[in-house]
Amino acid sequence: MNTTDLLCKYDEQVNQTNCSYTNKTTLRDTTMDLTSLMHVFPSVYGILCTIGVISNSLVIYAVATCKKKMVSDIYVLNLAIADMLFLLGMPFTIHQLVRDRHWVFGNFMCKAVTVVDVSNQFTTVWIVTVLCIDRYVAIVHPTLEKRTIQWTIIINVLVWMGSFLLTVPVMLYSRTVRMRDVEVCILDLPSGHKDIYWYTLYQSIMGFIIPLIIISTFYSLTLYHVFRSIRRVRRKQSLWAKRATKTVIMVIAVFLVCWSPYHVIQVINLNIASPTISFLYAYHISICLSYAHSCINPIMLLLFAKNYQERLCRKKQSATSHQSSSKQTVVKTDGGSTAIGDTNYRCTVI
């Protein structure tokens, strides 16, 4: 997903950001501050990778040590694994940036790292999306019989399989080539600029636009149901409604802030033959933000989901269950009572 040089079969050399193995983008007749590019950005990537790996490891530990897992735990576990794999491609990013695009790991690793990186980019985004749908079902239709651990596992398996299939173009065309006496790892599309255009559009639609529409729609429907139900019960529940609203706004805002710049710059980059230094810096900043999303996901859980904090603090499971049960009275989904019937909503914020 990182800065990838696309070698096109025509006069120009076009740069594209979509994989995690190439980082330094040097186009013909373009100069930039090499000191900043080769030292500042690798440091930022390293910090993001460290924070993300540690926080996702804590989330995985919190879920794995829980004997009785909830539906939301399955989504959270898969999201943390996808985020972890996504971030583990960053050392290759750092190495490429420091070595001025030089790829030393061979053609097989070029293809493998690219596929893993792009696949987990899609997986991360789509697990957040299906988790948002699950939150809607848990609140609006809490008695739905098919919302079980087994069905949740099947849904997550389908997400992983679908994300892997979305990387078919990367599997086919990622390879190493020699450019100016340097071996680089690229996505070598057969028809030049036309294929780059369609691949960029394909990546943005499947990895950003469709998930954003789904997330916004289902969270809006969830909030609509919550506020409609709260008007029929005690006004004290308005505090919970405000917290739910803040959570929804935070989820959508984080998704927009982290992924919008990346996809916008992809489109802009298609029409730039000789990028300026400012554009190249913006280019790398957008990549940092996309990686930051995989760091923020577990941090949001660890900060706002109380049951994960309790697990990490090694409190007894019985105490956790008792506390969850005592706090689950919120609002009945049919508007006639204040029992929500699903404690996962309080625990999962993304």
Side-chain angles (χ1 to χ4, degrees):
M1 189 279 307
N2 288 330
T3 313
T4 302
D5 294 312
L6 298 181
L7 182 61
C8 303
K9 301 185 185 306
Y10 65 109
D11 259 351
E12 289 287 328
Q13 188 180 334
V14 181
N15 178 59
Q16 171 77 3
T17 304
N18 42 35
C19 306
S20 67
Y21 44 84
T22 313
N23 311 90
K24 170 89 179 335
T25 305
T26 41
L27 297 180
R28 198 158 36 208
D29 301 323
T30 300
T31 60
M32 67 181 303
D33 188 344
L34 294 180
T35 301
S36 296
L37 186 64
M38 297 178 67
H39 295 284
V40 175
F41 283 111
S43 300
V44 174
Y45 288 142
I47 292 171
L48 288 175
C49 183
T50 302
I51 294 174
V53 169
I54 293 175
S55 56
N56 279 290
S57 297
L58 290 175
V59 171
I60 292 173
Y61 172 79
V63 176
T65 55
C66 177
K67 294 182 179 179
K68 186 178 181 180
K69 294 179 176 59
M70 301 177 292
V71 167
S72 61
D73 288 334
I74 306 301
Y75 287 110
V76 168
L77 178 62
N78 280 270
L79 179 60
I81 293 173
D83 284 333
M84 178 82 78
L85 292 174
F86 186 52
L87 291 167
L88 288 178
M90 293 189 76
F92 295 94
T93 298
I94 297 171
H95 183 272
Q96 283 286 90
L97 190 57
V98 173
R99 293 291 301 273
D100 192 19
R101 295 190 305 167
H102 186 203
W103 181 264
V104 299
F105 304 103
N107 187 70
F108 174 78
M109 284 300 295
C110 169
K111 191 178 292 288
V113 170
T114 307
V115 170
V116 170
D117 185 274
V118 177
S119 176
N120 283 284
Q121 173 190 344
F122 284 121
T123 303
T124 295
V125 172
W126 278 101
I127 289 179
V128 171
T129 304
V130 295
L131 179 54
C132 137
I133 298 174
D134 176 74
R135 297 295 84 217
Y136 168 80
V137 174
I139 294 174
V140 181
H141 305 287
T143 59
L144 189 66
E145 294 181 359
K146 289 189 176 182
R147 188 176 175 270
T148 62
I149 296 292
Q150 290 75 16
W151 272 104
T152 304
I153 293 174
I154 292 173
I155 291 172
N156 280 274
V157 169
L158 291 175
V159 170
W160 282 93
M161 292 175 60
S163 299
F164 186 73
L165 291 176
L166 288 174
T167 63
V168 168
V170 177
M171 299 178 205
L172 295 176
Y173 299 114
S174 59
R175 65 186 184 91
T176 57
V177 298
R178 183 161 291 276
M179 298 169 56
R180 300 174 186 173
D181 300 325
V182 175
E183 190 173 23
V184 296
C185 183
I186 66 169
L187 191 61
D188 187 10
L189 297 176
S191 300
H193 191 271
K194 183 179 179 180
D195 280 350
I196 296 172
Y197 171 82
W198 287 113
Y199 179 79
T200 301
L201 185 63
Y202 161 81
Q203 187 184 40
S204 296
I205 290 175
M206 299 305 298
F208 179 71
I209 296 176
I210 293 178
L212 179 62
I213 292 173
I214 295 174
I215 290 172
S216 301
T217 300
F218 278 90
Y219 268 136
S220 297
L221 290 173
T222 301
L223 283 184
Y224 171 76
H225 178 84
V226 168
F227 280 101
R228 187 184 65 176
S229 301
I230 281 178
R231 285 197 294 267
R232 303 176 185 178
V233 295
R234 294 176 300 177
R235 291 188 177 181
K236 291 182 180 181
Q237 304 303 332
S238 61
L239 178 61
W240 178 83
K242 289 179 180 179
R243 290 177 180 174
T245 304
K246 290 180 180 179
T247 297
V248 171
I249 293 174
M250 179 172 59
V251 168
I252 297 176
V254 167
F255 187 83
L256 282 172
V257 170
C258 290
W259 283 108
S260 294
Y262 170 74
H263 289 283
V264 169
I265 286 183
Q266 299 310 295
V267 177
I268 295 175
N269 187 50
L270 292 175
N271 302 313
I272 295 181
S274 181
T276 63
I277 293 177
S278 298
F279 179 81
L280 291 174
Y281 276 103
Y283 205 83
H284 283 279
I285 290 172
S286 72
I287 296 171
C288 292
L289 286 173
S290 64
Y291 275 125
H293 189 252
S294 293
C295 299
I296 295 173
N297 283 338
I299 290 175
M300 288 170 63
L301 276 173
L302 296 173
L303 290 179
F304 299 106
K306 191 170 183 179
N307 72 324
Y308 291 108
Q309 297 171 7
E310 291 170 348
R311 293 177 192 177
L312 290 175
C313 292
R314 298 189 179 185
K315 289 186 177 182
K316 292 183 179 180
Q317 184 66 27
S318 58
T320 303
S321 301
H322 175 75
Q323 189 172 10
S324 297
S325 300
S326 65
K327 293 186 178 182
Q328 69 176 347
T329 300
V330 181
V331 58
K332 188 177 179 181
T333 55
D334 61 5
S337 169
T338 58
I340 196 170
D342 180 15
T343 61
N344 298 352
Y345 185 75
R346 178 180 65 85
C347 302
T348 307
V349 299
I350 57 177

